[in-house]
Each structure stands twice: as structure tokens, then as C-alpha cells.
Amino acid sequence: MFRFRVCEASEVGEGELKIFAVKGAAVPILVTRVDGELIAGTSMCPHEDVSLVRGCIRNGAIVCKAHGYTFDLQTGACSHDPKLRWHVYKITVTSGQVFVDLA
Ligand code: FES
């Protein structure tokens, strides 16, 4: 497990979806903020590899704009297909810097 710096916490506002390229990570990391809590996951939808950055947050889930599938922000579970799961990363904020743990 490796810890990578993603961004500054202040770069992500409430309800925003932002993508950051992270040196050492295979794909960009998506970061959002809901009720003040920062959440990070893979930037690509597990359905058909479409970027989630143009989606939205609704009822504790990220909604993919392509086909409307929703993924729980805490567990990554998909409400449309139980075989699909959005990868949620463990996130740490230290001195205003956001880090994620990647395998
Ligand atoms: S590509 Fe995201 S729901 Fe189909």
C-alpha cells in the first residue's frame, strides 16, 4: 500500500467533482466533498470506463452522466448492477493536503 498526495483540501468545494492526475497512479483520482467530508475514488465509471467528472452527486451517490448508474460514495456499490463497484480510496487529510492509499 502506498500513500499519494492528490491535492489541497481547499481545491474541492462542496458537491464539486474534481479529477487530479497523481504521479504513480494508473488513472486520475476523482475527489468530491459531501457534507464537508472529502471522498476519493477512481475517475472512471466501472460500467464502460467513461469519466465520472461530468456526473453529479445525489443522495449519497455519484451519478454517471453516461447511463445514469449510481455508485454509493462510501461503499462504491452500484444501485443498477450488483456486479459493478466504484473503487473508493482511503483518504487522509494532513496539514490541508489530501492523500489516498493505493495498492
Ligand atoms: S458508463 Fe457510467 S453508467 Fe454507463
Side-chain angles (χ1 to χ4, degrees), residues 20-98:
F20 299 92
V22 175
K23 192 173 182 180
V27 296
I29 306 296
L30 180 143
V31 182
T32 187
R33 185 188 295 269
V34 178
D35 296 331
E37 177 190 3
L38 289 163
I39 298 163
T42 183
S43 59
M44 305 304 286
C45 178
H47 180 223
E48 291 187 357
D49 282 339
V50 171
S51 175
L52 288 165
V53 75
R54 290 195 290 148
C56 65
I57 301 296
R58 187 186 315 141
N59 299 328
I62 185 166
V63 183
C64 179
K65 187 172 182 174
H67 306 105
Y69 285 22
T70 64
F71 302 91
D72 185 277
L73 289 169
Q74 302 298 325
T75 68
C78 178
S79 60
H80 292 72
D81 183 342
K83 295 186 300 293
L84 296 177
R85 183 169 295 271
W86 178 58
H87 191 93
V88 182
Y89 297 112
K90 180 178 181 333
I91 197 166
T92 306
V93 180
T94 303
S95 300
Q97 305 295 308
V98 177

